[in-house]
Amino acid sequence: MSIANRSPAPAVTRRAQARLGVALVLPVMIMVVAFFLIPLVNALYYSVVDFNGINPNPDFVGLANFERLFTDPKMAHALGNNITWIIVGTISPMVIGLLVAMLLWSVQRASVVYRVLFFLPYVLPGVAIGIVWGWIYDPVNGLLNQLLRAMGLGDLARGWLGEPDVAIYAVLVTAIWAGTGFAIVIFLSALRNVDIELVEAARIDGANSLQRLWFIVLPQIMPVFLMVLTLTLVGGFSVFDIIFIMTGGGPADATEVLGTYAYSNAFQLSDIGYGTTLALLITVLSVPVAVLLNRLQRKLSLQGTGA
Amino acid sequence: MAETTLAMTDPAARRALSDPDAGSRAPSSAGGHGKKVAGQVLRHVVLIALAVLTITPVMMVVSTTLKTPEDVRVDPFGLFTSFSFRNIVDAWTVGRFSDYLVNSILLSVPSTALVIVMSTMAGYTFARLPFRGRTALFYLVVLGLLVPFFTFMIPLYFQLRSLGLLDTLPGAVLVLTSTGISFGTFFMRAFFAELPAELEQSARVDGCSEWQIFTRIMLPLVGSGIGALTVFTFLANWNNFLVPLLYLPGGEYRPLTTGLYMFTGGRSNDVGPLAAGTLITILPVIVLFIVLQRQVTQGFISGAVKG
């Protein structure tokens, strides 16, 4: 850093910077206030009134919506599905992603074609993904059942999205198919940043491949690992598109999650107050997780630098 | 060790992480030459199998689209068993997918442009133009990143309705813009923050105004960031399902995503045109992704490293 950099800029410059700064930041701030802050404050208001979407002066109901929230068996069921979704839907892409990334890392001439193919599902719209996987799970003509029958496992063939016991896992497999490419590509770039000299040194010192992975490689990609974990975990609380499209929360609420339950309360049952309260629950659950994991990630990053 | 763990905080390392093609450092494996080759072949076999698994659902869309209607009725998902453009023609005309395509463009292009312009301006301010209260404003932007859209989507519906923006193109464009600016601001700020302070100072010595420093000196240097953000934002807006589902309920401005969804609800047996509609929806995404795959993956990766 130069000396000029440390000494404060002249007052004229600072004033000019402040003027331009305020002007440049204004459009974003107007948008944030109008389309985020105001509706956010309104969300808090809606959660304490009984609003049906029409009545301009809804009744104040205090904490009734919250009381209902904690005694609602459907909410508990939906939250349970969110938890299943988060556990399976986080662990699978992380593990598969890491394995495939290491495979790609270890091949010579790891062609860019692999990476493009693996990443492709991640950029596709959820509706398209839901439709195609609906075909794959089709009870009669579906690719999955045809494959099972061809392999002599016809007994396992079923209406994958129509049976309450398996529907959520069927949708999860779709989500894993769509999301793992993201983990693969991120892990691969982290692996390519790993200090190879350290790995080689450990090998010379007699560490086997599992030890090298556990003690040398994994600690180095840990911050990236945590980052992907945060994103998938937090996304798991607000999952909506893929479930709404593939099952609509059915059959018989079997795949209902907080997102679809909040949507149907607000927009199908016109119970705006309760729908908003459910949506607030999603935030209350996901924001602390995001902040906590982010802190951990920063802490790890700093430790690595010896700071 | 420091090198990689720094990836989260150090700009240079972040760049290295952001670049999927950076270096081809891979761990060398032990063993003789023959064993090495066999291992490499085996790895490629596994990777090819995974790639086929990944791409099969996309192939199904293409295959079913290009079937004759008669073949679709008998064998809807058998791969490439007949050839016809009838489904595409039907989807385009009877299925109204030509309208949906136009609407998707009318929604995605202006909202992407607005996100880019606003985020670049605000990102520059938060990186380089200090003024009193700037930190507080920045926290508001960060809050917008943390809180899921779910939390305030219901109040936003009634807000748009009272402003007369519900079911209008400008309303949906503004909401789409608002969903992207928090992230965009954060993203562009990181790019501007990496530029050396000397550039700014020497420009000032040469008599440039603050506005000229921004537009003539700094802006041309963040081209790669703007490029990545453009592709990323465009894909997010094109794929967005919830915004048109909630705020364009009338159907007049229905884009491809909700158009496709409505099509599955209304005429679930029309698999051929449905496949064609799906293809029309995903084809722009796939083409954009393949042509700009570096920018896309880079955008997604550095997007993930935002926090």
Side-chain angles (χ1 to χ4, degrees):
Chain A
M1 279 228 175
S2 65
I3 297 161
N5 209 358
R6 259 182 282 146
S7 66
V12 186
T13 306
R14 270 183 292 147
R15 268 201 304 277
Q17 283 187 323
R19 265 201 306 273
L20 184 64
V22 171
L24 289 183
V25 92
L26 203 61
V28 161
M29 291 336 286
I30 291 172
M31 290 295 288
V32 167
V33 170
F35 291 95
F36 169 64
L37 206 57
I38 293 175
L40 188 65
V41 172
N42 271 331
L44 296 173
Y45 165 69
Y46 282 177
S47 70
V48 293
V49 293
D50 182 16
F51 183 39
N52 60 7
I54 301 160
N55 183 359
N57 294 307
D59 293 335
F60 180 75
V61 294
L63 296 176
N65 282 321
F66 292 91
E67 275 166 36
R68 182 173 158 198
L69 188 74
F70 291 114
T71 52
D72 181 1
K74 280 184 141 188
M75 188 288 283
H77 173 69
L79 181 60
N81 278 337
N82 272 94
I83 291 169
T84 306
W85 185 275
I86 286 166
I87 294 172
V88 181
T90 302
I91 294 176
S92 318
M94 298 283 289
V95 172
I96 302 170
L98 187 61
L99 289 176
V100 177
M102 289 182 31
L103 201 58
L104 278 171
W105 189 38
S106 70
V107 292
Q108 275 124 36
R109 273 192 279 279
S111 122
V112 76
V113 176
Y114 286 132
R115 212 185 57 220
V116 170
L117 284 180
F118 290 143
F119 198 73
L120 180 65
Y122 193 74
V123 298
L124 296 180
V127 199
I129 292 169
I131 287 171
V132 185
W133 280 82
W135 298 341
I136 293 176
Y137 290 139
D138 188 278
V140 185
N141 291 314
L143 196 66
L144 181 57
N145 282 349
Q146 281 185 356
L147 265 177
L148 286 172
R149 288 192 197 103
M151 283 158 51
L153 298 168
D155 291 351
L156 291 175
R158 64 189 71 214
W160 295 94
L161 295 174
E163 290 183 16
D165 295 341
V166 290
I168 188 144
Y169 297 102
V171 182
L172 261 167
V173 167
T174 305
I176 292 164
W177 172 81
T180 304
F182 176 68
I184 294 174
V185 169
I186 291 216
F187 288 154
L188 182 62
S189 15
L191 283 171
R192 286 195 168 145
N193 256 16
V194 163
D195 190 342
I196 290 300
E197 263 96 74
L198 270 179
V199 183
E200 288 299 302
R203 192 163 65 88
I204 291 161
D205 287 348
N208 65 36
S209 53
L210 213 64
Q211 286 170 325
R212 292 201 299 270
L213 171 68
W214 190 257
F215 293 108
I216 312 291
V217 176
L218 280 186
Q220 291 195 56
I221 64 167
M222 205 54 199
V224 176
F225 200 79
L226 274 176
M227 177 191 79
V228 180
L229 183 72
T230 313
L231 290 173
T232 355
L233 260 181
V234 173
F237 284 107
S238 45
V239 54
F240 176 81
D241 286 21
I242 191 103
I243 292 180
F244 183 77
I245 290 153
M246 288 183 78
T247 65
D253 298 341
T255 57
E256 194 87 278
V257 286
L258 291 175
T260 54
Y261 192 44
Y263 175 87
S264 63
N265 266 288
F267 292 105
Q268 282 157 7
L269 306 173
S270 290
D271 196 342
I272 315 299
Y274 192 53
T276 310
T277 312
L278 282 162
L280 280 175
L281 178 67
I282 297 174
T283 318
V284 169
L285 291 171
S286 64
V287 170
V289 175
V291 173
L292 207 76
L293 280 168
N294 196 268
R295 283 251 174 98
L296 189 65
Q297 182 192 319
R298 268 159 199 263
K299 212 169 132 191
L300 274 179
S301 302
L302 287 178
Q303 268 174 10
T305 64
Chain B
M1 176 108 182
E3 260 176 57
T4 33
T5 36
L6 254 173
M8 319 307 299
T9 43
D10 177 59
R14 188 182 326 122
R15 250 197 314 277
L17 179 67
S18 309
D19 187 351
D21 291 326
S24 49
R25 290 188 297 165
S28 60
S29 46
H33 180 68
K35 203 175 152 191
K36 235 179 193 167
V37 172
Q40 286 290 320
V41 170
L42 185 69
R43 286 183 177 120
H44 277 289
V45 169
V46 175
L47 283 171
I48 289 167
L50 286 169
V52 169
L53 200 69
T54 308
I55 210 68
T56 302
V58 181
M59 282 300 116
M60 282 176 68
V61 178
V62 180
S63 148
T64 306
T65 299
L66 295 178
K67 278 169 187 281
T68 60
E70 296 73 33
D71 189 24
V72 172
R73 223 164 291 132
V74 186
D75 177 22
F77 311 125
L79 290 177
F80 302 106
T81 46
S82 59
F83 183 83
S84 144
F85 284 121
R86 269 290 303 281
N87 292 323
I88 297 182
V89 174
D90 282 354
W92 190 256
T93 54
V94 187
R96 288 191 55 207
F97 277 94
S98 54
D99 294 346
Y100 299 157
L101 181 71
V102 171
N103 290 337
S104 272
I105 295 168
L106 289 178
L107 285 168
S108 310
V109 173
S111 56
T112 305
L114 282 171
V115 167
I116 300 305
V117 172
M118 290 185 184
S119 305
T120 306
M121 284 161 43
Y124 182 71
T125 303
F126 286 124
R128 313 207 74 109
L129 297 174
F131 58 87
R132 216 188 331 192
R134 190 182 70 160
T135 315
L137 293 183
F138 187 62
Y139 280 132
L140 198 58
V141 173
V142 175
L143 193 68
L145 263 179
L146 271 178
V147 176
F149 182 64
F150 254 97
T151 314
F152 53 94
M153 70 177 191
I154 300 165
L156 189 54
Y157 176 90
F158 295 101
Q159 190 182 324
L160 290 173
R161 199 178 67 179
S162 63
L163 292 172
L165 286 171
L166 192 67
D167 227 345
T168 67
L169 214 47
V173 166
L174 284 175
V175 175
L176 278 175
T177 306
S178 75
T179 61
I181 45 169
S182 282
F183 170 71
T185 302
F186 215 100
F187 186 85
M188 288 316 298
R189 173 181 165 268
F191 277 87
F192 282 118
E194 281 170 22
L195 302 176
E198 284 76 12
L199 266 177
E200 205 180 308
Q201 282 152 2
S202 57
R204 209 165 280 139
V205 171
D206 290 345
C208 282
S209 69
E210 291 301 320
W211 170 253
Q212 285 169 328
I213 294 173
F214 170 50
T215 54
R216 295 205 192 148
I217 313 288
M218 304 306 230
L219 207 52
L221 296 173
V222 295
S224 67
I226 290 179
L229 185 64
T230 306
V231 187
F232 178 88
T233 308
F234 181 80
L235 285 178
N237 290 342
W238 186 271
N239 290 345
N240 198 309
F241 176 70
L242 206 45
V243 168
L245 180 75
L246 295 177
Y247 309 125
L248 293 172
E252 201 184 331
Y253 302 110
R254 189 176 289 159
L256 286 164
T257 47
T258 45
L260 204 51
Y261 177 72
M262 296 299 164
F263 197 81
T264 60
R267 1 192 330 183
S268 52
N269 290 327
D270 263 351
V271 173
L274 179 61
T278 310
L279 188 64
I280 294 169
T281 308
I282 64 174
L283 203 60
V285 175
I286 293 179
V287 170
L288 198 68
F289 172 61
I290 289 174
V291 173
L292 298 171
Q293 62 92 10
R294 259 184 90 111
Q295 281 83 348
V296 177
T297 30
Q298 194 169 331
F300 274 92
I301 293 173
S302 24
V305 191
K306 69 197 175 203

